[in-house]
Structures are given as structure tokens and as C-alpha cells.
């Protein structure tokens, strides 16, 4: 791709997201989301492959549907309330906006597009889709949190956690596993959105750190399936150890960074007298933890055949910079003591 075109697309991605951050007019927010969507589609198909074209088409149709529903919610709200401000919404329009934004980010039961789209694009574009593309819809949700229906958010959150756990059990493609992991993490964020939005923001930040770390490692090792991780311990022992720690952090095991957001969410739900909801969410986490541990087993305990005949990767000079991986890995494993400080900063 031409570097100038690539620069324009990246700047458009940033512009669309920043518009949703700083604006409160429904029409301008819709324009920002559309700019965001239109900018990432050429990045999906810059490698001319039928699977990438199919993924881009599915993504475009899904996002177009969500954008039309979101525009309808804004127009109906302006018709009933008399203004386009985001802070003045009626119950019907806020419910329609909730469904539209849930479709945009891939919450269950509107999640079917996310694994299929992520499977058909490159790892680098998948990194953008699972991290940066979540910021703009969540910026709108965080501004609307006090007007959203808590029961609807709880249903969407519980269904996403269950679907994310069940869907990832029988997958062998790493991108699909990360897609279902994304669905499960989004369910945790949405379930607490109405009661404590700053905790949702904290969970979103930590999710982006963990997912970015995992995608960067897959890009460095060029791994797309589980069986490609088997010889990693013998060829790249340090990288496999880092991947093992990241997977355990994604599963929410202490003393890693991913533990504290889940603990704080369960604590807040208990304070809101939602003990049953918190119990179901804690039990559903075991489903996600199972396929994380399966990946850990493949990375650390599986011995690949023909080791003596394969070239030793550690003897070849590295061709990629590990600076970004070092930063994300440090935050993935060692940010647990700083979580209360981060929660205070988000208030």
C-alpha cells in the first residue's frame, strides 16, 4: 500500500475516534463512527485475498446496519426531545442506541460477525479491530451510562460472557479464540457500566493492554493456529514464557494484571445486591479459563517432533523490534499493584 494512503487511513481512524470523544451532538458522533468504519475497511483488504474481501464485506454490512440503527435512534430522539444533544435522551432512543452500539462492538447475541471477520484479516488489522475500534463505541456508552437500562446491560453482559466462554472451547484458530475472548471481556465491561462507569473504563484499558500484548507476540512468531505454538518453547523460550504469562493474565489469575478488574466488578455487583449475577459471571469465567489453559499447555508443555531437524531460531539475529512487546508485557504482568491508582485516576 502507498505510504501516503496508509497515513491518510490511520489519520482518519484517529479523527473518527476523537470526534466521538469530544462531541456531544448525535449527528456528529454518527459521522465520527462512519469515518472510523470507512477507514479500516481498506486496511482489511490491502492484501488481495478472497477471505479478506469476504471479511471486509461482512464487517461493512454489519457496521452499516448498526450505523443505520444508531442514526434512527438519534433522529427519533431529536424528533421527540427537540434537540440533538447526547445527554438528553428518552428511553426508547437509548435502548435503540444500546443495541446499535452492542452490534458495533460485537456483544452477544449480536456477536456472529466478529469471529468470522477476525479470522479473515491479518494479525495487524485484527489488533486494530479488537482494540482501537472499541474505543469510539465505548466513548458513547460511557456518556450514556446513566440513561441506559441496567437490566438490558446485565442481559447483554451475561450472554456475552457465556457465549465468549462456550464459543472458544472448540476453536483451533488463534484469531477466533481471541475474538471469543474479546466477546467475554466486553461482557464484563458492559455488565458494570450502569453502576460504575469508571470501572468499565479501567477494564477497557487493561483489556486493550492484554490483547495488544497477545497480538504483538502472535505477529512476532507468525502464529495463526494452535499447532504452530507447539515448537515455541524449544525455539523461543523467552517468548513462550511471556505468552504463558499473558494468557494467564487474560484468564484473570492473580497476581497478574487481569485479576483486579474482575475482582472489582464482582465486588461492585455484590454491593448492588446482584449476588446471583456475580456468581454466574464468576462461574462462566471458568469456560474462558479452560481454553486459555489449553493454549498454555500447548505453548509450554507440548514437545514438537523433529526438533533436531528444525533450524534453531534463537541463533538467527532478530529482525523485529521488541520494544513495544516489552512495554505491553511489563504492564500485562506487573500492573496489579497500580490498579487502585488507575481506578482513582478514572474517577
Amino acid at each position: 500500500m502507498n505510504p501516503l494512503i496508509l497515513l491518510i487511513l490511520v489519520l482518519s481512524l484517529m479523527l473518527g475516534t476523537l470526534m466521538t470523544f469530544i462531541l456531544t451532538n448525535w449527528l456528529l458522533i454518527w459521522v465520527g463512527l462512519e469515518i472510523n468504519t470507512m477507514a479500516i475497511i481498506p486496511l482489511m483488504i490491502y492484501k488481495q485475498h478472497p477471505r479478506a474481501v469476504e471479511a471486509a464485506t461482512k464487517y461493512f454490512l454489519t457496521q452499516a446496519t448498526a450505523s443505520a440503527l444508531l442514526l434512527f435512534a438519534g433522529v427519533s430522539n431529536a424528533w421527540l426531545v427537540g434537540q440533538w444533544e447526547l445527554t438528553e435522551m428518552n428511553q426508547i432512543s437509548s435502548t435503540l442506541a444500546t443495541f446499535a452500539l452492542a452490534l458495533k462492538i460485537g456483544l452477544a447475541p449480536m456477536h456472529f460477525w466478529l469471529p468470522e471477520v477476525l479470522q479473515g484479516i491479518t494479525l495487524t488489522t485484527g489488533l486494530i479491530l479488537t482494540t482501537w475500534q472499541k474505543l469510539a463505541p465505548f466513548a458513547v456508552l460511557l456518556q450514556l451510562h446513566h440513561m441506559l437500562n441496567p437490566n438490558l446491560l446485565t442481559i447483554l453482559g451475561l450472554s456475552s460472557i457465556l457465549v465468549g466462554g462456550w464459543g472458544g472451547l472448540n476453536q483451533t484458530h488463534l484469531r477466533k479464540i481471541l475474538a471469543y475472548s474479546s466477546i467475554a471481556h466486553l461482557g464484563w465491561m458492559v455488565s458494570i457500566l450502569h453502576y460504575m462507569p469508571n470501572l468499565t473504563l479501567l477494564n477497557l484499558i487493561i483489556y486493550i493492554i492484554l490483547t495488544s500484548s497477545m497480538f504483538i507476540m502472535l505477529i512476532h512468531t507468525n502464529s495463526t493456529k494452535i499447532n504452530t505454538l507447539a515448537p515455541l518453547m524449544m525455539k523461543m523460550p523467552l517468548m513462550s514464557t511471556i505468552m504463558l504469562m499473558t494468557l494467564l493474565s487474560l484468564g484473570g489469575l492473580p497476581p497478574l494484571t487481569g485479576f483486579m478488574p474482575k475482582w472489582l466488578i464482582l465486588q461492585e455487583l455484590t454491593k448492588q445486591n446482584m449476588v446471583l449475577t456475580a456468581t454466574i459471571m464468576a462461574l462462566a469465567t471458568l469456560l474462558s479459563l479452560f481454553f486459555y489453559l489449553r493454549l498454555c499447555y500447548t505453548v509450554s508443555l507440548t514437545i514438537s517432533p523433529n526438533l533436531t531437524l528444525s533450524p534453531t531460531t534463537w541463533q538467527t539475529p532478530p529482525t523485529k523490534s521488541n520494544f513495544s512487546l516489552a512495554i505491553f508485557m511489563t504492564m500485562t504482568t506487573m500492573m496489579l499493584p497500580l490498579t487502585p491508582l488507575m481506578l482513582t485516576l478514572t474517577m
Side-chain angles (χ1 to χ4, degrees), residues 73 95 207:
T95 303
Y207 158 76

Side-chain angles (χ1 to χ4, degrees), residues 13-267:
L13 273 176
M14 297 175 62
L15 174 64
T17 304
L18 290 176
M19 286 180 65
T20 59
F21 283 177
I22 63 178
L23 298 175
T24 58
N25 185 283
W26 261 117
L27 189 59
L28 294 178
I29 286 175
W30 176 80
V31 171
L33 291 172
E34 284 298 295
I35 293 174
N36 209 329
T37 301
M38 292 297 106
I40 197 174
I41 290 178
L43 296 176
M44 291 181 174
I45 57 175
Y46 80 97
K47 286 187 177 180
Q48 295 297 324
H49 189 274
R51 191 68 183 86
V53 175
E54 178 186 354
T57 304
K58 290 179 179 178
Y59 182 77
F60 172 75
L61 293 176
T62 306
Q63 298 299 311
T65 305
S67 296
L69 186 59
L70 188 66
L71 182 61
F72 178 72
V75 171
S76 61
N77 180 73
W79 179 269
L80 295 174
V81 179
Q83 59 180 342
W84 287 88
E85 287 300 312
L86 191 66
T87 54
E88 298 292 335
M89 290 199 68
N90 59 77
Q91 191 63 38
I92 298 177
S93 299
S94 63
T95 303
L96 289 175
T98 303
F99 279 112
L101 295 170
L103 180 58
K104 271 190 169 296
I105 61 179
L107 283 174
M110 295 161 285
H111 66 284
F112 296 101
W113 64 271
L114 183 57
E116 297 298 325
V117 169
L118 203 60
Q119 176 62 25
I121 58 181
T122 62
L123 289 170
T124 305
T125 313
L127 171 61
I128 299 174
L129 182 63
T130 53
T131 55
W132 183 266
Q133 291 299 98
K134 308 297 182 187
L135 295 177
F138 263 102
V140 182
L141 286 172
L142 287 171
Q143 294 181 69
L144 295 174
H145 71 91
H146 59 284
M147 293 177 286
L148 301 179
N149 189 344
N151 296 324
L152 177 60
L153 293 178
T154 303
I155 293 173
L156 290 174
L158 283 176
S159 60
S160 297
I161 296 171
L162 291 171
V163 168
W166 281 111
L169 292 179
N170 61 344
Q171 300 296 331
T172 58
H173 293 273
L174 296 175
R175 282 169 291 185
K176 278 194 174 182
I177 291 177
L178 289 175
Y180 284 106
S181 171
S182 173
I183 294 169
H185 279 87
L186 292 175
W188 282 87
M189 300 175 208
V190 170
S191 61
I192 201 65
L193 177 63
H194 181 78
Y195 305 102
M196 200 171 181
N198 57 326
L199 192 52
T200 298
L201 180 59
L202 173 67
N203 203 347
L204 178 63
I205 294 171
I206 293 180
Y207 158 76
I208 290 175
I209 293 171
L210 301 180
T211 306
S212 300
S213 179
M214 192 64 199
F215 265 102
I216 290 172
M217 281 184 286
L218 295 181
I219 292 170
H220 275 260
T221 58
N222 197 22
S223 302
T224 56
K225 294 183 180 180
I226 291 182
N227 56 5
T228 59
L229 299 177
L232 197 60
M233 178 59 77
M234 299 301 297
K235 291 184 175 182
M236 302 179 183
L238 180 59
M239 183 72 72
S240 62
T241 305
I242 293 174
M243 189 175 294
L244 175 65
M245 301 279 286
T246 305
L247 289 169
L248 294 178
S249 187
L250 276 169
L253 293 182
L256 302 173
T257 306
F259 167 71
M260 187 55 74
K262 291 183 171 59
W263 175 261
L264 292 174
I265 289 174
L266 294 177
Q267 184 181 24

